[in-house]
């Protein structure tokens, strides 16, 4: 090399730069190979990938346009185009492109995996599961897809199927961290605690992180292992606060956090971080709904939104609500994002509302669009941060007024819930600082109960449930993860103070 001339770089060297993630250099050097008889198409594809990696998906799409010739589009080009569209938030377009790719190459594991990830982002867990099932049919040793399949199944409360998928992943690699953690979460959710503590410690040795510390704290708390709980929660608390300080969404789930500690300001920080993450996941899907005043509309349209319109405490508490509205003033919509268990309770809700809409199979944007198209005036979310909730739908603000009620975490955080429906006992004036929402105080108690429930006429005896005939019975039927050290200590003191007394704890998986 003389006179300061730049050294010519070969195509193999460009590929080597891509292999070590030098994407700026890759984008620059690919330019000279565009139009090359042998590497021209590859150069455009690799340059587009570089722009995607550098956070410039719009430029990547522009670069790919020259390769989008009808009848002669490569599968790789379609995958890159879908990836760029996904990065821009155009999930519907990305899905269409991948479906086009599958019409050409039905047995591509990579395309099925990419399509599955799109469905997860859209909140369409059932469709995601179908994609991952196809992957493991094509490639039974694909450990990541077994794990992804299990996650999609768990998100639909298909816990036995999820355990099977995670177990298959662990048969391939017993030290696969995510599959191991996810399996423990499901076992914990099913109250199957045998061996969890030992497996938690084993996985911590592989990688000490938020996920494994959370499942360790949850299982220890449910087994009243307070020493184990202190050990895991102390580590988790530091990790959670560090994530919040760095404006990352912690892995600690808000409902678990509310059970771990009764610190309301910590709860507010945690719920806000998760609510913000829900918004971040969908903010690019839609520019925002433009709400208008419904002039001349004779009735207020109220929408109730939950994943728990089934045999569940939320439905047990709210069951009479839907039929008690004054139909001259209100039109009642119910939006269900959870499973249809065929229960009489779900059927009662269907019968008592004016419109029952099943959104379980709908992606996030389609669900929000449906609520908007129904011209809902007030949307009330019963799920909040609980399991299988779809808070990201509410994050898109499909209704002009949105409220939360019966939230397991008190506040939902974020900025897209206007009110929390409550009363002055549950939410005194002094609690305003602990909530992101404005209180909508109801007279008396806000808490609804299914007061119509008929007491069974069956001849039920204590022996049917293994209870002593002459004992004084204390009972608690909460989920076991809600048992705190303080409550358990009080229960033990009561049992010591009351002769011949027993504590009946409901076995709620």
């Amino acid at each position: 090399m003389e006179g300061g001339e730049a050294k010519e770089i070969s195509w193999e060297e460009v590929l080597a730069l891509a292999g070590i993630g030098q994407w700026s250099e890759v984008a620059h050097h690919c330019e000279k190979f565009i139009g090359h008889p042998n590497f021209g198409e590859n150069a455009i594809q690799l340059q587009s990938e570089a722009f995607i990696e550098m956070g410039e998906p719009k430029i990547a799409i522009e670069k790919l346009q020259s390769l989008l010739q009808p009848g002669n589009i490569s599968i790789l080009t379609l995958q890159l185009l879908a990836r760029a569209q996904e990065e821009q938030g155009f999930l519907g377009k990305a899905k269409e492109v991948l479906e086009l790719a599958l019409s050409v190459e039905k047995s591509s594991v990579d395309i099925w995996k990419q399509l599955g990830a799109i469905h997860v982002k859209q909140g369409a867990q059932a469709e995601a599961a179908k994609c991952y099932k196809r992957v493991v049919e094509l490639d039974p040793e694909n450990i990541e897809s077994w794990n992804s399949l299990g996650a999609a199944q768990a998100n639909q409360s298909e816990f036995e199927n999820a355990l099977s998928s995670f177990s298959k992943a662990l048969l391939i690699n017993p030290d696969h961290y995510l599959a191991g953690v996810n399996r423990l979460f499901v076992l914990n959710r099913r109250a199957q605690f045998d061996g969890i503590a030992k497996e938690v410690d084993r996985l911590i040795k592989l990688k000490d992180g938020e996920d494994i510390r959370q499942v360790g704290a949850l299982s220890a708390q449910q087994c009243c292992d307070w020493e184990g709980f202190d050990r895991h929660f102390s580590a988790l608390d530091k990790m959670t606060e560090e994530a919040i300080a760095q404006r990352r969404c912690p892995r600690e789930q808000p409902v678990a956090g509310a059970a771990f500690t009764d610190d309301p300001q910590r709860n507010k920080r945690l719920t806000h971080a998760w609510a913000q993450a829900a918004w971040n996941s969908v903010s690019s899907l839609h520019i925002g709904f433009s709400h208008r005043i419904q002039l001349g509309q004779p009735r207020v349209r109220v929408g109730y939104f939950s994943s728990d319109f089934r045999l569940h405490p939320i439905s047990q508490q709210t069951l009479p609500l839907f039929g008690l509205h004054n139909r001259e003033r209100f039109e009642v919509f119910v939006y269900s994002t959870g499973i249809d268990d065929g229960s009489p309770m779900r059927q009662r809700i269907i019968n008592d509302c004016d419109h029952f809409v099943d959104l379980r199979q709908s992606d996030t944007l389609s669900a929000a669009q449906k609520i908007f198209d129904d011209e809902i005036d007030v949307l009330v979310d019963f799920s909040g941060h609980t399991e299988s909730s779809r808070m990201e739908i509410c994050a898109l603000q499909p209704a002009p007024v949105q409220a939360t009620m019966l939230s397991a975490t008190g506040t939902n955080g974020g900025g897209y819930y206007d009110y929390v429906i409550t009363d002055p006992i549950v939410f005194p004036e002094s609690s305003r600082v602990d909530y992101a929402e404005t209180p909508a105080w109801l007279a008396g108690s806000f808490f609804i109960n299914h007061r119509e429930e008929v007491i069974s006429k069956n001849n039920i005896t204590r022996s049917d449930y293994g209870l002593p005939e002459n004992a004084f019975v204390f009972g608690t039927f909460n989920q076991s993860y809600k048992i705190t050290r303080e409550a358990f200590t009080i229960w033990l003191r009561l049992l010591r103070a009351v002769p011949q007394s027993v504590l009946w704890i409901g076995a709620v998986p």
Side-chain angles (χ1 to χ4, degrees):
M1 182 173 66
E2 298 180 0
E5 293 180 5
K7 176 187 174 184
E8 289 290 326
I9 190 169
S10 69
W11 180 243
E12 288 73 20
E13 288 174 308
V14 175
L15 293 177
L17 288 171
I20 60 175
Q22 297 293 321
W23 295 111
S24 178
E25 291 291 307
V26 170
H28 170 72
H29 290 298
C30 277
E31 195 67 37
K32 65 167 283 193
F33 289 96
I34 293 175
H36 190 282
N38 297 324
F39 306 123
E41 181 176 3
N42 299 123
I44 294 173
Q45 291 169 337
L46 186 58
Q47 188 181 51
S48 299
E49 183 179 2
F51 281 116
I52 293 171
E53 293 290 345
M54 291 190 295
E56 298 285 354
K58 185 177 181 180
I59 297 177
I61 292 173
E62 292 171 355
K63 294 290 183 180
L64 290 168
Q65 292 303 309
S66 63
L67 301 182
L68 300 178
Q69 305 300 321
N72 191 32
I73 307 175
S74 78
I75 295 298
L76 179 56
T77 296
L78 291 175
Q79 286 184 269
L80 287 167
L81 176 61
R83 187 177 163 199
Q85 291 170 329
E86 178 186 353
E87 290 295 320
Q88 281 199 294
F90 300 134
L91 300 184
K93 291 181 178 179
K95 185 173 72 171
E96 290 175 3
V97 168
L98 291 173
E99 288 170 346
L100 174 61
L102 283 173
S103 70
V104 178
E105 183 54 74
K106 294 182 175 61
S107 298
S108 170
V109 165
D110 289 338
I111 299 174
W112 281 110
K113 286 171 63 176
Q114 195 174 352
L115 183 58
I118 295 287
H119 284 306
V120 169
K121 282 192 174 183
Q122 289 183 312
Q125 299 291 341
E127 293 303 311
K130 291 178 183 177
C131 292
Y132 294 125
K133 282 180 182 177
R134 184 61 181 140
V135 172
V136 296
E137 287 171 0
L138 294 167
D139 180 9
E141 298 296 305
N142 196 305
I143 188 170
E144 300 298 337
S145 292
W146 278 117
N147 181 59
S148 297
L149 173 58
Q153 291 165 330
N155 286 334
Q156 298 175 82
S157 300
E158 296 177 1
F159 297 121
E160 293 305 319
N161 289 336
L163 283 174
S164 175
S165 296
F166 294 137
S167 295
K168 287 174 181 175
L170 293 168
L171 281 175
I172 301 168
N173 179 6
D175 290 336
H176 191 276
Y177 179 77
L178 279 179
V181 170
N182 286 335
R183 175 179 169 272
L184 292 182
F185 265 116
V186 175
L187 287 173
N188 192 78
R189 177 65 182 83
R190 301 295 293 166
Q192 297 172 240
F193 301 117
D194 289 348
I196 285 185
K198 183 178 180 180
E199 183 64 9
V200 164
D201 288 340
R202 188 184 76 85
L203 288 173
I204 286 174
K205 291 178 181 177
L206 291 177
K207 178 184 176 182
D208 191 358
E210 296 170 71
D211 288 312
I212 193 60
R213 288 294 187 175
Q214 180 175 209
V215 75
L218 278 169
S219 59
Q221 184 165 19
Q222 292 182 84
C223 295
C224 300
D225 172 12
W226 306 121
E227 182 180 338
F229 172 77
D230 288 342
R231 178 165 58 92
H232 292 304
F233 179 65
S234 176
L236 175 63
D237 185 42
K238 292 176 183 177
M239 295 173 185
T240 293
E241 293 295 354
E242 181 180 343
I244 292 173
Q246 295 173 354
R247 299 195 175 185
R248 292 188 289 109
C249 182
R251 299 293 296 168
E252 181 183 348
Q253 297 166 358
V255 173
F260 292 154
T261 172
D262 58 3
D263 180 347
Q265 281 297 300
R266 183 183 190 276
N267 178 63
K268 186 178 180 180
R269 292 193 297 274
L270 182 56
T271 54
H272 179 76
W274 275 75
Q276 186 63 45
W279 162 245
N280 291 341
S281 71
V282 297
S283 59
S284 61
L285 295 182
H286 201 270
I287 59 173
F289 293 103
S290 179
H291 300 292
R292 59 192 183 280
I293 298 174
Q294 305 295 336
L295 296 176
Q297 185 167 293
R299 297 188 290 176
V300 175
R301 293 187 170 186
V302 180
Y304 293 100
F305 177 88
S306 180
S307 60
D308 299 319
F309 293 124
R310 52 190 171 90
L311 186 58
H312 185 277
I314 288 293
S315 293
Q316 290 170 337
Q317 293 164 25
T318 62
L319 195 60
L321 170 68
F322 311 100
L324 290 175
H325 291 69
N326 182 341
R327 287 310 199 265
E328 292 182 0
R329 297 181 57 195
F330 298 96
E331 188 173 1
V332 179
F333 292 71
V334 170
Y335 298 98
S336 172
T337 61
I339 61 172
D340 179 357
D341 63 353
S343 65
M345 195 167 286
R346 182 180 177 91
Q347 191 58 49
R348 164 76 182 273
I349 295 170
I350 293 172
N351 294 341
D352 281 1
C353 69
D354 297 302
H355 310 275
F356 187 93
V357 184
D358 190 342
L359 296 176
R360 187 185 183 206
Q361 302 296 340
S362 299
D363 64 53
T364 300
L365 182 56
S366 299
Q369 187 69 51
K370 171 61 179 171
I371 295 170
F372 176 77
D373 291 342
D374 286 340
E375 299 182 345
I376 297 301
D377 296 300
V378 181
L379 184 66
V380 181
D381 180 7
F382 287 148
S383 289
H385 291 282
T386 56
E387 187 176 67
S388 302
S389 68
R390 299 281 300 278
M391 185 179 280
E392 64 275 10
I393 296 172
C394 295
L396 289 172
Q397 294 182 272
V401 176
Q402 298 190 159
T404 176
M405 184 175 180
L406 297 173
S407 174
T409 56
T411 180
N412 278 354
Y416 39 86
Y417 292 101
D418 304 289
Y419 299 98
V420 53
I421 299 173
T422 184
D423 62 51
I425 302 298
V426 173
F427 188 143
E429 182 67 36
S430 60
S431 291
R432 279 184 183 267
V433 69
D434 301 322
Y435 280 74
E437 305 87 354
T438 299
W441 283 309
L442 300 185
S445 173
F446 88 100
F447 203 79
I448 303 164
N449 274 306
H450 178 20
R451 58 186 180 273
E452 303 166 2
E453 186 113 36
V454 178
I455 297 175
S456 174
K457 295 181 180 179
N458 295 334
N459 184 25
I460 298 172
T461 67
R462 290 189 172 200
S463 61
D464 293 336
Y465 296 94
L467 297 170
E469 290 296 332
N470 299 318
F472 185 93
V473 179
F474 294 100
T476 176
F477 300 100
N478 288 295
Q479 292 271 18
S480 55
Y481 72 85
K482 297 178 182 178
I483 299 175
T484 64
R485 185 201 317 260
E486 293 74 18
F488 194 69
T489 301
I490 292 171
W491 293 345
L492 292 180
R493 193 167 69 242
L494 284 170
L495 290 172
R496 283 193 294 265
V498 179
Q500 291 185 299
S501 61
V502 295
L503 175 62
W504 187 13
I505 300 178
V508 183

